[in-house]
Amino acid sequence: MESEVLFLANKVVTLNETDLIKLKEYYSPYLVDSYPQGALFAIRVEGCTITAYRSGKVLFQGKKSETEAEKWIQFDIAETKPIIKKTRYSPPERISTMSVIGSDEVGTGDYFGPITVAAVYVAKEKISTLQSLGVKDSKKLSDNQIIALAGKLIQTVPYSLLILKNEKYNELQQSGMSQGKMKAMLHNQAIDHVCKKIAPKEPEAILIDQFVEPSIYFRHNLNKDIPFQDRTFFITKAESIHVSVAIASIISRYAFLKEIEKLSEMAGFPLPKGAGKIVDEACAKLIEIKGKEALSTFTKRHFANTKKALSIYEK
Ligand code: MG
């Protein structure tokens, strides 16, 4: 019974060197001579024995351990350190200075228009030159900036651009394929194309702007050739990690804009991006002009917008 009480009354806090000294000073009148091997010092106050170890761990024992430990919890390194979940797919520290193939996609959340995926190779010697062109996340650039930049970039870097048009998208979706699988297959295909373009040169790493768990990504590509799987990394917001992903996001957005432009011309009026209310209304208008059948050419038909547009149209 006694030992159980003691066990329950144990508390451990991990401190850095500075805070260990602080703690020692704070309790200096209560330092004791005997302490276990491996310990730096020990303290005995009423209801609590405190033992500090070289590792920074401080053990509080006794019925007042909770109260005493409480005073030091704010300094606990283990508690204040942000928890970054690293996996074997997390990019290495120095990836931003490596020769990398990066990939990104656009259009997955847009009702009108295709999904566009680009993969881009940037050799390390070219990183700073490309950065000086003003390459950054495509979401932070205006459409005009995207068009101007993309024009330069496609002449500068080896890349692959894939456009999954609405007809094909709807066909695949109808056959039971998830959008996630479509994306995974497109990324892999684009990356594979770039690998072949730059061969016999090899990328030091492949960086995918993460849209799915890596294990699921690879499962979606199970029966495909996956180039350099052992050096493929995933991270969200990858465009801020390596310029190749930033360029991939610019090229894929550029292609998406061009496709929307073409579709708008076919529709006879500008088609909005996204999947909001304006999109429902534009779709109702499209049905009025082109008929329901046209939706497979212009839209990702399984989106909820179709139902909403039909109900607007039928009113
Ligand atoms: Mg992305």
Side-chain angles (χ1 to χ4, degrees):
M1 190 64 199
E2 176 74 2
S3 69
E4 195 182 305
V5 170
L6 270 175
F7 177 70
L8 286 172
N10 279 0
K11 211 68 191 153
V12 178
V13 173
T14 308
L15 301 181
N16 65 27
E17 230 171 290
T18 319
D19 294 325
L20 269 181
I21 294 167
K22 249 190 242 169
L23 178 132
K24 193 178 177 183
E25 272 170 13
Y26 180 84
Y27 291 111
S28 57
Y30 308 101
L31 284 166
V32 292
D33 286 329
S34 65
Y35 41 81
Q37 234 191 345
L40 288 172
F41 56 86
I43 292 147
R44 197 165 299 131
V45 292
E46 206 215 315
C48 185
T49 302
I50 304 163
T51 315
Y53 291 87
R54 287 180 212 287
S55 62
K57 284 206 161 44
V58 182
L59 176 64
F60 296 80
Q61 291 168 294
K63 58 180 193 299
K64 290 224 173 127
S65 59
E66 191 91 53
T67 328
E68 293 304 324
E70 204 64 50
K71 298 175 186 168
W72 303 96
I73 273 182
Q74 57 176 314
F75 303 109
D76 192 334
I77 310 168
E79 265 195 11
T80 49
K81 234 192 235 163
I83 299 154
I84 301 163
K85 218 179 93 196
K86 281 216 168 177
T87 71
R88 68 192 176 100
Y89 299 112
S90 306
E93 297 277 342
R94 53 178 208 94
I95 194 159
S96 46
T97 62
M98 291 163 74
S99 299
V100 171
I101 294 179
S103 66
D104 197 11
E105 85 287 330
V106 170
T108 54
D110 297 276
Y111 178 62
F112 291 114
I115 290 180
T116 57
V117 175
V120 168
Y121 174 68
V122 173
K124 52 184 159 209
E125 316 81 73
K126 291 209 170 164
I127 293 173
S128 58
T129 317
L130 288 165
Q131 278 169 336
S132 68
L133 285 177
V135 171
K136 49 186 161 185
D137 180 12
S138 71
K139 289 170 209 95
K140 289 178 196 143
L141 298 167
S142 71
D143 289 357
N144 285 335
Q145 285 173 309
I146 296 272
I147 292 165
L149 260 176
K152 272 186 233 167
L153 292 170
I154 54 177
Q155 291 171 34
T156 317
V157 292
Y159 73 98
S160 166
L161 169 67
L162 299 175
I163 300 173
L164 180 61
K165 295 204 179 193
N166 295 97
E167 285 99 343
K168 187 71 188 169
Y169 177 97
N170 289 319
E171 215 179 283
L172 292 172
Q173 198 277 328
Q174 209 82 57
S175 78
M177 190 184 287
S178 68
Q179 200 197 65
K181 180 159 185 170
M182 293 181 217
K183 276 193 273 187
M185 291 171 67
L186 289 165
H187 273 260
N188 186 60
Q189 224 177 85
I191 290 164
D192 193 39
H193 288 168
V194 178
C195 286
K196 287 181 175 131
K197 267 191 189 175
I198 66 169
K201 230 187 301 173
E202 289 185 2
E204 291 178 287
I206 291 169
L207 184 61
I208 298 173
D209 187 37
Q210 188 169 346
F211 56 90
V212 69
E213 284 302 311
S215 59
I216 297 171
Y217 175 89
F218 291 121
R219 202 201 309 144
H220 283 326
N221 284 300
L222 211 52
N223 51 359
K224 299 282 187 293
D225 281 335
I226 302 172
F228 306 111
Q229 181 167 357
D230 57 333
R231 54 182 106 153
T232 297
F233 305 101
F234 297 79
I235 194 165
T236 55
K237 303 203 173 85
E239 65 278 346
S240 59
I241 306 284
H242 198 277
V243 73
S244 62
V245 182
I247 298 175
S249 88
I250 290 171
I251 294 178
S252 50
R253 178 150 300 276
Y254 169 76
F256 182 79
L257 291 172
K258 286 283 161 199
E259 288 301 311
I260 282 282
E261 211 176 279
K262 277 188 226 163
L263 290 172
S264 297
E265 223 163 272
M266 279 166 62
F269 67 98
L271 298 173
K273 288 169 225 148
K277 254 202 180 119
I278 317 168
V279 167
D280 301 336
E281 279 147 25
C283 182
K285 188 172 164 184
L286 186 71
I287 297 170
E288 210 173 288
I289 302 173
K290 299 274 180 188
K292 276 184 229 175
E293 313 71 49
L295 294 187
S296 36
T297 318
F298 288 87
T299 73
K300 301 183 183 77
R301 223 174 36 201
H302 67 114
F303 277 30
N305 302 84
T306 300
K307 245 190 184 161
K308 291 180 201 158
L310 279 169
S311 79
I312 296 171
Y313 167 72
E314 277 153 14
K315 259 180 210 165

